[in-house]
Amino acid sequence: MNRPDRDLPFPDALRPDATPAPHPLLAPVIGYLGTWRGTGSGGYPTLEAGFTYAQEVTFSHDGRPFLAYEARAWLLDADGNPLRASARETGWWRMLPEGRTEALITQPTGIAEILSGHALDGTVDLATEQVSLAPTAKQVDATRRRYVLTDPDTLEFVHDLAAVGLPLQHHLSARLRREDAGQGIQLP
């Protein structure tokens, strides 16, 4: 993903008032632009115990009706210190008329998701259309992701998962706060 601090001829914008101007179809998700950081918790029946994690999510655009999406996570110990890198994914949200949204999200673990849904009133709700797996990837059958702007500087995230033969159920949730778009990425 292009970072605004790099000397690029056409950097991605992390704010609605930055150049390039956002495409009109980005209107339902314009509040998502920027970098968000916070903590969350997760679990799944196949895991021995629940866990806490730090997460950073960045949404940017290049003037077309797409949001570039990048998410990184780190497992945390009981004192809130990072133990190790955890999930990482990147992708695109394709914005269509009337808030319809399609997302393409890939993970380095060999999982590629195609999701669709809607963006309305600060909420984006996406559900799996298709999952493609690399030959050695863990079996994932479906996901549902919900992003809610509870205020201009707070983004809540919930991720449901159907994997390894289990039905769709809660997997992750986090509360993220908007970071200053001029700051670099720092490990939690």
Side-chain angles (χ1 to χ4, degrees):
M1 179 177 298
N2 295 334
R3 297 280 179 218
D5 57 345
R6 291 186 184 165
D7 188 21
L8 298 171
F10 303 104
D12 284 359
L14 292 169
R15 296 187 333 262
D17 61 345
T19 302
H23 191 281
L25 287 175
L26 293 182
V29 293
I30 204 75
Y32 285 68
L33 290 174
T35 298
W36 303 81
R37 299 185 82 202
T39 58
S41 61
Y44 205 67
T46 58
L47 302 174
E48 288 182 28
F51 56 90
T52 58
Y53 67 99
Q55 185 172 29
E56 178 180 84
V57 176
T58 300
F59 295 99
S60 63
H61 75 89
D62 64 5
R64 297 179 292 167
F66 317 120
L67 281 186
Y69 164 82
E70 182 178 27
R72 300 176 69 181
W74 299 266
L75 289 178
L76 300 177
D77 67 17
D79 296 322
N81 299 309
L83 293 170
R84 64 175 174 83
S86 183
R88 189 164 190 168
E89 53 189 31
T90 188
W92 300 95
W93 289 13
R94 301 174 66 219
M95 302 308 298
L96 303 165
E98 301 170 1
R100 290 178 298 138
T101 308
E102 297 175 345
L104 310 161
I105 298 174
T106 61
Q107 301 169 20
T109 54
I111 301 166
E113 298 175 55
I114 298 174
L115 305 107
S116 65
H118 281 85
L120 180 66
D121 298 329
T123 298
V124 176
D125 201 344
L126 299 168
T128 301
E129 291 289 331
Q130 183 175 353
V131 178
S132 292
L133 304 171
T136 59
K138 174 179 70 175
Q139 182 64 42
V140 172
D141 297 309
T143 66
R144 180 176 180 212
R145 297 160 182 256
R146 185 172 174 89
Y147 302 80
V148 179
L149 280 174
T150 58
D151 65 57
D153 293 319
T154 306
L155 178 64
E156 293 187 357
F157 168 67
V158 175
H159 184 185
D160 297 334
L161 175 68
V164 295
L166 297 173
L168 190 68
Q169 59 193 286
H170 180 75
H171 177 45
L172 303 169
S173 60
R175 174 172 274 183
L176 310 175
R177 300 284 299 161
R178 183 184 302 280
E179 291 292 311
D180 179 4
Q183 291 180 345
I185 296 175
Q186 299 170 355
L187 186 63

